[in-house]
Amino acid sequence: SFFLLVGLSACANYSARNSVSKKVEETAVAEQISSLFSAVKERDSYVVFGKRYFPINDATRFEETGVASWYGKKFHGRRTSSGELYDMHAFTAAHKTLPLPTYVRVTSITDGKTVIVKVNDRGPFVAERIIDLSYAAANALGIAQQGTATVKISAIESLNQKGANYSKNTKR
């Protein structure tokens, strides 16, 4: 597992050193991350683009405000970090450090629209962004067209308890 993490880091550094286009580099690293987390249970930390991330064990009272983005067709049907298949039509998301899975309420700061998503993937690995939403979640929040928006994310304790089963999506 350690060697996989080192290999992942080396691949990202190799790509950067050889001036591979940023888009190709991001896709390659995202694919490696998905493969890594699909094959190996979540570890204490992981490295992407030379930066180490430390997933937290408990999302109780977790809140964060920042920029949300979304991902869609390019990743549709691929494995997420949790091992599930990514479905761009489901209400899911990627976060760098929340436990997998964690249910969070995502609220648009601009207009107060809200969705509930299941965090089942890692990302986004773009500076300044705190969450990557599925296309469905981004569309429901009204941010799919513009690409990004400032949001507040809040863990939903009742849905993150062992045995909780949540399948409905909400919006205001």
Side-chain angles (χ1 to χ4, degrees), residues 9-172:
S9 177
C11 288
N13 289 334
Y14 178 80
S15 295
R17 282 193 306 263
N18 288 297
S19 301
V20 175
S21 77
K22 188 171 185 168
K23 193 168 213 155
V24 171
E25 181 180 289
E26 289 174 0
T27 299
V29 172
E31 288 172 1
Q32 291 173 349
I33 292 166
S34 291
S35 296
L36 173 67
F37 281 104
S38 294
V40 181
K41 289 231 178 208
E42 188 169 311
R43 299 293 178 195
D44 292 339
S45 68
Y46 63 98
V47 176
V48 177
F49 295 130
K51 182 172 180 179
R52 183 167 301 279
Y53 297 91
F54 297 90
I56 60 175
N57 294 322
D58 183 7
T60 303
R61 293 187 288 280
F62 181 90
E63 290 189 341
E64 187 175 16
T65 300
V67 177
S69 53
W70 65 274
Y71 61 133
K73 287 183 183 179
K74 186 180 354 179
F75 297 96
H76 187 70
R78 294 187 186 180
R79 295 262 174 223
T80 64
S81 298
S82 67
E84 298 174 38
L85 290 180
Y86 172 66
D87 179 356
M88 64 186 271
H89 304 292
F91 280 54
T92 59
H95 190 275
K96 296 177 201 89
T97 60
L98 282 170
L100 302 178
T102 297
Y103 290 91
V104 297
R105 177 176 288 107
V106 182
T107 305
S108 169
I109 298 300
T110 306
D111 60 16
K113 285 185 182 177
T114 299
V115 294
I116 293 174
V117 297
K118 176 183 180 183
V119 175
N120 66 351
D121 205 358
R122 291 290 177 223
F125 299 106
V126 177
E128 309 298 321
R129 298 187 187 169
I130 63 166
I131 193 165
D132 246 347
L133 301 170
S134 65
Y135 169 77
N139 194 46
L141 276 179
I143 67 170
Q145 190 80 16
Q146 64 207 42
T148 61
T150 303
V151 299
K152 178 180 179 182
I153 60 175
S154 307
I156 304 172
E157 292 181 40
S158 62
L159 297 178
N160 293 320
Q161 297 170 356
K162 279 193 170 185
N165 183 8
Y166 182 78
S167 60
K168 291 188 176 185
N169 299 307
T170 62
K171 51 186 168 175
R172 278 186 215 164

